[in-house]
Amino acid sequence: MNEMNKLDGIKRFAVLDTETTWTDEVMSIGIVIADVETKREIRSEYYIISPEYESGGMFSNTLFDTPKKKTKVLSREEAIEGIESVLDEEAVSTIFAYNASFDYRHLPELASYTWVDIMKIAAYKQYNRAITDDMECCLSGRLKRGYGVEQILGMLKPRYRETHNAYFDAIDELEIVKLLELDIDVYENAILN
């Protein structure tokens, strides 16, 4: 008996990204809600985690480079409550992330949602038409190197530069999903849990 596809019937999904401090604590979370059919943004939010962000991290200089109306500085507990509220209001049960195991590991409070790894699709030649024959791939079709967000989006959208801000990176990761032009069911192969 086949297990039902966890992505069947979903109408919306979230794309989430985190940035961490030098001590590997979450200092910011960006989340974008998107329509399954159009892959267009419906809603977005950005949470700066206090006091964690104050200890600094590699990308602290971009923390506040976001629209003020989207940005909330909250405790981790309040941010998680805010994210869960947004997901509930938008009837979202699925979270997409690039290298999702990183974000999943850093946000155990959201483990009950279905997590999907965009990288497990975007880095494979059979799913990403921008991967050319001259690019070195494993037998599985996965690029051997150069498959981070910046490199993949750069293949799909030339002259792209990653900001390393969780809000804008979540939007960029949604852009990868949109530009790949794949049916949502393909991502069943990239579910973490």
Side-chain angles (χ1 to χ4, degrees):
M1 180 185 247
N2 289 354
E3 187 180 319
M4 188 176 145
N5 183 331
K6 288 185 177 184
L7 302 180
D8 276 348
I10 67 168
K11 304 236 184 291
R12 295 176 175 183
F13 63 97
V15 179
L16 182 145
D17 188 69
T18 61
E19 294 297 340
T20 56
T21 66
W22 294 117
T23 57
D24 203 32
E25 293 180 281
V26 175
M27 67 177 173
S28 64
I29 306 168
I31 187 165
V32 181
I33 308 300
D35 176 78
V36 164
E37 294 301 317
T38 64
K39 314 294 188 295
R40 289 205 172 114
E41 178 184 328
I42 294 169
R43 179 177 179 180
S44 59
E45 303 285 339
Y46 178 58
Y47 304 90
I48 296 173
I49 311 302
S50 180
E52 288 80 354
Y53 84 91
E54 294 171 15
S55 65
M58 187 177 291
F59 304 111
S60 290
N61 62 324
T62 65
L63 266 175
F64 289 92
D65 295 347
T66 53
K68 289 192 183 342
K69 67 181 181 178
K70 302 281 184 180
T71 304
K72 297 170 182 67
V73 180
L74 302 168
S75 70
R76 182 183 174 109
E77 184 178 321
E78 291 168 327
I80 295 298
E81 286 173 8
I83 291 167
E84 289 176 328
S85 179
V86 167
L87 295 174
D88 186 50
E89 288 168 20
E90 300 296 338
V92 170
S93 60
T94 306
I95 299 171
F96 281 54
Y98 203 92
N99 191 15
S101 59
F102 179 85
D103 300 299
Y104 179 81
R105 182 172 40 88
H106 283 83
L107 297 170
E109 302 95 328
L110 303 178
S112 64
Y113 294 89
T114 299
W115 282 73
V116 177
D117 192 342
I118 299 165
M119 184 175 70
K120 288 185 177 183
I121 299 298
Y124 284 80
K125 188 173 184 164
Q126 55 268 44
Y127 300 119
N128 185 343
R129 69 190 180 295
I131 299 174
T132 60
D133 290 337
D134 63 330
M135 294 177 176
E136 197 174 1
C137 294
C138 301
L139 291 176
S140 64
R142 182 181 52 81
L143 284 166
K144 286 191 174 181
R145 67 189 66 75
Y147 51 88
V149 170
E150 188 164 8
Q151 293 96 339
I152 292 294
L153 196 47
M155 288 177 201
L156 296 163
K157 185 178 179 178
R159 292 180 297 284
Y160 165 76
R161 295 281 299 160
E162 188 174 7
T163 60
H164 295 289
N165 171 290
Y167 176 74
F168 292 116
D169 289 354
I171 291 170
D172 291 344
E173 292 165 22
L174 172 59
E175 184 74 0
I176 290 172
V177 173
K178 186 177 179 182
L179 291 171
L180 287 174
E181 299 177 337
L182 300 168
D183 187 76
I184 204 74
D185 291 343
V186 171
Y187 291 89
E188 179 74 16
N189 299 323
I191 291 176
L192 288 188
N193 50 347

